[in-house]
């Protein structure tokens, strides 16, 4: 009986957001830096600038899709979901992804981050 009461209380606290539940959230990408020109097999360095959200931890840049004509990345973080007041501070940070070029690129080569196209690289 005591266990059922304890489980009920914990379930209620979780539903109200008192007990944190980690979840993956997209980062707020503000800029993406890519070169204008690149050789088909050269390393491509993609620098993603993002604003840091309240309670965002473990920021990462992951490969979603890579073909000869497109590089698609996901910029995300883990958020504990706590609904607490955050200081009114705007901070930007960067993450970098390096594509080795093992699969040759065709012209133009598009770079997409979080579903948005941030530009095309001319491949020569």
């Amino acid at each position: 009986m005591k266990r059922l009461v304890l489980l009920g209380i914990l379930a209620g606290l979780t539903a109200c957001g008192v007990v944190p539940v980690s979840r993956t959230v997209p980062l707020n990408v503000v800029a993406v830096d890519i070169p204008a020109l690149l050789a088909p097999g050269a390393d491509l360095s993609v620098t993603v600038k993002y604003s840091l959200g309240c309670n965002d931890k473990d920021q990462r840049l992951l490969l979603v899709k890579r073909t000869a004509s497109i590089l698609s990345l996901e910029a995300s973080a883990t958020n504990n979901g706590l609904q607490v007041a955050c200081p009114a501070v705007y901070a930007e940070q960067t993450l970098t992804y390096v594509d080795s070029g093992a699969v040759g690129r065709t012209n133009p080569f598009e770079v997409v981050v979080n579903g948005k196209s941030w530009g095309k690289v001319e491949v020569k």
Side-chain angles (χ1 to χ4, degrees):
M1 183 68 170
K2 287 182 182 181
R3 281 188 177 175
L4 289 177
V5 171
L6 181 60
L7 286 174
I9 290 171
L10 285 176
L13 289 175
T14 302
C16 293
V18 175
V19 177
V21 177
S22 293
R23 58 191 167 95
T24 300
V25 295
L27 290 174
N28 181 32
V29 177
V30 295
V32 174
D33 185 36
I34 55 175
L37 180 67
L38 193 67
D43 284 355
L44 168 65
S45 182
V46 177
T47 302
V48 174
K49 185 185 287 187
Y50 62 94
S51 62
L52 192 58
C54 186
N55 298 319
D56 285 352
K57 305 277 189 266
D58 302 323
Q59 299 85 2
R60 56 199 166 273
L61 198 52
L62 301 172
L63 177 66
V64 174
K65 177 181 175 183
R66 167 61 162 89
T67 67
S69 62
I70 191 169
L71 172 66
S72 182
L73 302 171
E74 175 187 279
S76 62
T78 301
N79 188 295
N80 64 12
L82 281 177
Q83 302 297 322
V84 296
C86 293
V89 176
Y90 181 81
E92 290 183 351
Q93 295 185 355
T94 60
L95 292 169
T96 301
Y97 181 87
V98 178
D99 178 60
S100 69
V103 175
R105 298 178 191 89
T106 59
N107 192 44
F109 186 77
E110 184 176 20
V111 176
V112 174
V113 179
N114 287 0
K116 178 183 177 186
S117 176
W118 288 89
K120 296 181 180 181
V121 178
E122 183 179 353
V123 180
K124 283 190 176 183

